[in-house]
Amino acid sequence: MESIVSDVAVGMKRGSDDLSLYSTSPNSVTANGNDSSKKLRVEDRMESPPSRVLHIRKLPSEVSETEVIALGLPFGKVTNILMLKGKNQAFLELGTEEAAVTMVNYYTAVMPQVRNVPVFIQFSNHKELKTDSTLNQRAQAVLQAVSAVQDGGSPNSDNSTLDSVLAHAPSPVLRIIIDNMFYPVTLDVLQQIFSKFGTVMKIITFTKNNQFQALLQFSEPVNAQQARLSLDGQNIYNSCCTLRIDFSKLVNLNVKYNNDKSRDYTRPELPAGDGQPALDPAMAAAYNKDSSLLGKTSPSILSPFLGSLAAAAAAAAAGRMVLSGNSGCSGVLLVSNLNEEMVTPQSLFTLFGVYGDAQRVKILYNKKDSALIQMSDGNQAQLAMSHLNGQKMHGKIIRVTLSKHQAVQLPREGLDDQGLTKDFTNSPLHRFKKPGSKNFQNIFPPSATLHLSNVPEDVTEEDLRLLFSNAGGIVKAFKFFQGHKMALLQMSTVEEAIQALMDLHNYDMGSNHHLKVSFSKSTI
């Protein structure tokens, strides 16, 4: 991959395939419907000055307009697009030259990919992209829908081109598959994203063929079409959790329970129904008859640094995204204001391991109320920071920030650092080593209610109440579910729950059962 990057010199050289679609000025590109004008000329590679028009080459033949637009979204407003699908190319115009330079600089360091295929991005020597509104209608409609979200509003249909696209919405129900789901996607995340486009009435989430999927019903089919045009092919988090969206043949969802797996926003009185399947048998049968291409798609889309869908205006220079972490950060966290009398590398590993796979932990030798924690990547570091900064641990409010360090160094061989540094790289307790693990779907902020799993059959409620009381705190409520294998246990405070999780996650219950503890979104 490094050799490809060095050979391409992304963004700093003009390729041989730039368009010669000149109008009155050589500084603009025009698509005018005349095939003879769409000739590609072969030129020697040459340095090209910065331009807000970018030339994208070697695109996969099945690429969608949304995927091309999404490459530019984090860097600023995308103002125009010209697709040349027959040539596997596209032109993308950003709102400012500065945004285009930021995008090129980023993709110089990170090879851009679309559908797992490396693509090549460079400045065009054209300063403006002019497209005939009668051509490339779908691309323009998609651009308008995405731009509306980028501006913080919802797409409207005051454009005849967009009207014609939106008029063909067959159902208010969308089928959503999450490809490459390395991070959790919850029902609430989906509601937050899709409510940008209209009233979300019902959502059902489930796992099928080892993929997280959802059915989502809008109040109107036109809203479903707007959401599909804008979001299909985009990532929720950096470089992963790609939305594959199509219409369902269902026109109405029958939701029986309001819980973490299903929700009817029009009927808040529905029971929680813990442990019940979200899809009733009749709906599951109807779903299995759904035979559109979406269910057959196998390649996932891994386009690094795609836009945040909850608020598409992203600050690319800082690498920030609303629902995601900073893919450019090292993955090392600095945790301060710790209780140096009680904190241990193991307790930090266990707590931060709720939000990612902690690789190394170092309590600072000369400042034992501070520690460095190396997560697997920058996304996990951001996730842990967002959930744990400001939480109370061992009686003190901890502060979690991104560290300038690129990695946590192990002590030199033979040097005794009093056990302050631990390497957990090969720990069997990592929750997220297995792609597609259910753990990705069950990440929640610290809460007083804990979710317990892998409970032996002979362990009683009294046994668990006593165990967690001894960890320090008061057990306020308890409930078994899923037979006897899982339970919800509520402590009196979030701090007590944090302490209990650190002490009792992976606790040996006997009979080769190690208790699994995580934070729950539910209450008892």
Side-chain angles (χ1 to χ4, degrees), residues 48-82:
S48 182
S51 165
R52 64 193 186 100
V53 179
L54 299 176
H55 183 206
I56 305 172
R57 300 183 295 117
K58 302 296 179 79
L59 288 163
S61 57
E62 69 275 17
V63 69
S64 70
E65 293 87 349
T66 307
E67 292 167 74
V68 176
I69 292 170
L71 284 170
L73 277 182
F75 305 95
K77 186 172 181 62
V78 176
T79 53
N80 212 344
I81 180 174
L82 175 62

Side-chain angles (χ1 to χ4, degrees), residues 2 5 25 32 84 108 111 120 147 149 262 318 390 396 429 465:
E2 290 179 358
V5 174
S25 165
N32 57 21
L84 300 173
T108 301
M111 172 61 74
F120 303 94
S147 296
V149 181
S262 62
K396 301 186 73 173
L429 300 182
R465 281 179 174 270

Side-chain angles (χ1 to χ4, degrees), residues 232-245:
D232 183 36
Q234 292 207 45
N235 289 356
I236 298 174
Y237 301 103
N238 285 349
S239 310
C240 64
C241 299
T242 309
L243 290 165
R244 311 297 295 160
I245 305 171

Side-chain angles (χ1 to χ4, degrees), residues 199-486:
T199 303
V200 175
M201 299 180 70
K202 304 171 185 178
I203 304 177
I204 296 173
T205 64
F206 53 96
T207 300
K208 182 181 180 183
N209 299 328
N210 292 320
Q211 281 187 306
F212 178 80
Q213 304 189 24
L215 294 170
L216 183 146
Q217 181 177 338
F218 279 100
S219 57
E220 299 291 340
V222 65
N223 302 130
Q225 180 70 299
Q226 289 170 336
R228 178 173 171 269
L229 285 172
S230 294
L231 301 180
D232 183 36
Q234 292 207 45
N235 289 356
I236 298 174
Y237 301 103
N238 285 349
S239 310
C240 64
C241 299
T242 309
L243 290 165
R244 311 297 295 160
I245 305 171
D246 207 344
F247 287 102
S248 171
K249 292 184 178 178
L250 299 169
V251 294
N252 185 54
L253 299 181
N254 180 22
V255 177
K256 290 185 174 182
Y257 306 104
N258 282 340
N259 53 34
D260 292 340
K261 307 300 181 188
S262 62
R263 194 78 52 83
D264 186 337
Y265 295 96
T266 69
R267 299 181 64 196
E269 75 281 359
L270 288 177
D274 286 332
Q276 297 297 323
L279 279 179
D280 64 35
M283 187 171 291
Y287 179 86
N288 287 329
K289 292 178 182 178
D290 233 340
S291 57
S292 68
L293 290 176
L294 178 64
K296 299 177 183 177
T297 55
S298 55
S300 62
I301 306 166
L302 283 173
S303 301
F305 212 81
L306 296 191
S308 161
L309 304 181
R320 296 193 304 273
M321 292 197 178
V322 171
L323 291 180
S324 68
N326 179 352
S327 66
C329 78
S330 66
V332 178
L333 295 169
L334 173 64
V335 187
S336 57
N337 202 40
L338 294 164
N339 186 326
E340 59 184 88
E341 301 297 327
M342 301 183 69
V343 69
T344 64
Q346 182 67 47
S347 64
L348 290 172
F349 166 77
T350 302
L351 178 60
F352 281 76
V354 173
Y355 302 104
D357 292 336
Q359 304 296 304
R360 294 176 179 177
V361 179
K362 177 190 287 288
I363 295 174
L364 303 186
Y365 186 82
N366 293 320
K367 191 172 172 50
K368 293 186 173 64
D369 68 344
S370 300
L372 294 173
I373 302 176
Q374 181 178 332
M375 308 298 287
S376 287
D377 57 43
N379 286 304
Q380 292 185 0
Q382 285 274 12
L383 191 64
M385 180 176 69
S386 66
H387 285 307
L388 294 176
N389 182 43
Q391 295 293 338
K392 202 169 185 182
M393 172 183 167
H394 296 142
K396 301 186 73 173
I397 294 175
I398 64 172
R399 300 299 174 199
V400 185
T401 59
L402 294 174
S403 169
K404 294 181 291 186
H405 293 279
Q406 297 300 305
V408 172
Q409 300 299 321
L410 296 176
R412 294 190 302 273
E413 189 173 353
L415 180 67
D416 180 16
D417 77 338
Q418 303 175 5
L420 297 177
T421 304
K422 293 290 185 183
D423 188 354
F424 296 98
T425 304
N426 298 314
S427 172
L429 300 182
H430 287 154
R431 298 180 188 240
F432 307 105
K433 281 192 299 187
K434 184 179 178 183
S437 165
K438 289 185 178 179
N439 290 334
F440 288 109
Q441 302 172 29
N442 295 296
I443 297 179
F444 303 111
S447 64
T449 304
L450 297 170
H451 179 277
L452 316 182
S453 60
N454 205 31
V455 180
E457 290 185 3
D458 59 347
V459 170
T460 65
E461 175 179 336
E462 289 71 24
D463 293 332
L464 290 170
R465 281 179 174 270
L466 179 61
L467 179 66
F468 279 78
S469 296
N470 289 339
I474 299 171
V475 177
K476 293 186 64 177
F478 183 93
K479 180 173 70 172
F480 274 122
F481 65 98
Q482 290 267 332
H484 197 90
K485 297 177 182 178
M486 298 183 183

